[in-house]
Amino acid sequence: MKVATWNVNSIRARKERVLGWLERAQPDVLCLQETKVEDAQFPRDEFRVAGYEVVLAGQKSYNGVAIAARRPLTDVVRGLDDGTDDPQARLIAATIDGVRILSAYVPNGQAVGSEKFSYKLAWLGRMRRYLDSRCDPQQPLVLAGDFNVAPEAIDVHDPRLWRGQVLFTVEERAALAQLRNFGLVDTYRRHHTEGGRFSWWDYRQLAFPKNLGVRIDHVFATPPLAEQSLHAEIDREARKGENPSDHAPVVAEFAD
DNA sequence: ATGGTTGCTTAGCAA
């Protein structure tokens, strides 16, 4: 099973590019983030023609997550569903071929010390409790998405510059580590030890051609599935050319 | 130096 995650920064702005990428990359599952559209406006039919069914948790203008898959999606659960009154569409889960798949869009956090930053840290805690209460680390599960956290110094282009900045603070990395303590393996790191491999580059200041990026999009898997991972890659090519998302897709393949 | 780019929605916010 080939599982991909991609923050597309609006599915309507990125539709042709995403469909073209599906055609070339042929993943079995694509977790999408920042679709920025209500479910009724999602281009569901075009995905179907391309061979993918979709399940959606969208909202107007902001956020929005989805899972596209070539095989049936069952047991769909939307949101963290933890009793808080939270309208932000940031999580969707479904089971595909016996694997629980979660597509997550972790809050950006905006600025250290801001309300949005507190919300981000709290959201990561809520995500951990979600896993504890609904999921089993001994079962095959993928948690993929835009986590808006670079785990290590080698995951930012300049650790000195990024020190204390949003996406790389000690607090955010600790919250992500706590989430991963549920029992999640970083499939990309399982296959790559080198630094300087990024999944997001700012649109501004020629950040992409200069490779001034950060690795914040991840495909995490529980140990029984991670042991089956054959390779994991960041598709840097998909960030090139006209009208790209500011994120590149991350892909992991697991033995069946 | 607080810049710069993109998307949604239409001037200002979010990323």
Side-chain angles (χ1 to χ4, degrees):
Chain A
M1 178 186 273
K2 196 170 174 181
V3 180
T5 184
W6 197 1
N7 179 323
V8 294
N9 187 20
S10 167
I11 191 59
R12 288 175 294 176
R14 220 66 63 203
K15 186 176 69 178
E16 297 307 325
R17 192 177 261 268
V18 172
L19 291 170
W21 186 83
L22 285 173
E23 174 75 27
R24 291 194 305 281
Q26 292 288 316
D28 297 293
V29 179
L30 174 60
C31 296
L32 296 149
Q33 300 87 36
E34 279 208 272
T35 54
K36 294 187 172 180
V37 73
E38 289 177 312
D39 294 352
Q41 272 75 54
F42 191 98
R44 178 188 292 275
D45 293 341
E46 281 140 296
F47 273 74
R48 187 171 287 145
V49 167
Y52 291 85
E53 286 299 322
V54 294
V55 292
L56 308 169
Q59 74 181 79
K60 191 179 178 181
S61 306
Y62 304 113
N63 310 316
V65 287
I67 305 172
R70 294 200 285 201
R71 308 266 292 136
L73 301 115
T74 60
D75 303 297
V76 178
V77 175
R78 292 170 181 81
L80 288 162
D81 193 28
D82 57 4
T84 62
D85 185 22
D86 189 344
Q88 299 191 31
R90 297 185 175 277
L91 183 69
I92 188 166
T95 300
I96 301 151
D97 279 342
V99 180
R100 194 66 176 157
I101 305 279
L102 291 81
S103 176
Y105 177 44
V106 175
N108 171 280
Q110 197 170 57
V112 178
S114 69
E115 220 165 275
K116 291 192 171 76
F117 189 79
S118 307
Y119 175 75
K120 177 181 194 171
L121 297 178
W123 199 95
L124 286 162
R126 293 166 66 196
M127 184 75 236
R128 171 62 201 264
R129 288 190 287 281
Y130 176 104
L131 293 173
D132 285 337
S133 61
R134 296 165 184 262
C135 304
D136 180 353
Q138 309 303 334
Q139 295 297 317
L141 175 146
V142 169
L143 172 56
D146 175 2
F147 290 81
N148 272 314
V149 181
E152 302 176 84
I154 56 171
D155 297 316
V156 299
H157 69 82
D158 184 345
R160 210 171 44 126
L161 200 73
W162 276 94
R163 192 165 168 258
Q165 302 294 314
V166 174
L167 313 184
F168 191 59
T169 64
V170 170
E171 293 94 329
E172 290 163 274
R173 287 184 280 153
L176 182 64
Q178 275 295 106
L179 176 64
R180 288 188 49 191
N181 278 347
F182 167 75
L184 295 170
V185 177
D186 181 340
T187 58
Y188 187 81
R189 271 286 161 255
R190 186 167 187 266
H191 296 282
H192 300 270
T193 54
E194 77 278 14
R197 306 294 188 213
F198 309 129
S199 66
W200 175 81
W201 302 259
D202 201 298
Y203 282 125
R204 297 166 287 190
Q205 307 280 98
L206 300 174
F208 181 68
K210 293 175 177 171
N211 200 31
L212 306 180
V214 293
R215 193 175 71 90
I216 58 176
D217 300 88
H218 307 295
V219 179
F220 295 130
T222 51
L225 189 62
E227 282 160 22
Q228 299 291 109
S229 79
L230 302 168
H231 57 89
E233 304 298 335
I234 300 170
D235 189 354
R236 207 173 183 282
E237 292 300 309
R239 179 64 172 75
K240 297 180 180 175
E242 292 296 303
N243 306 314
S245 169
D246 43 357
H247 295 253
V250 183
V251 187
E253 183 160 14
F254 305 94
D256 291 318

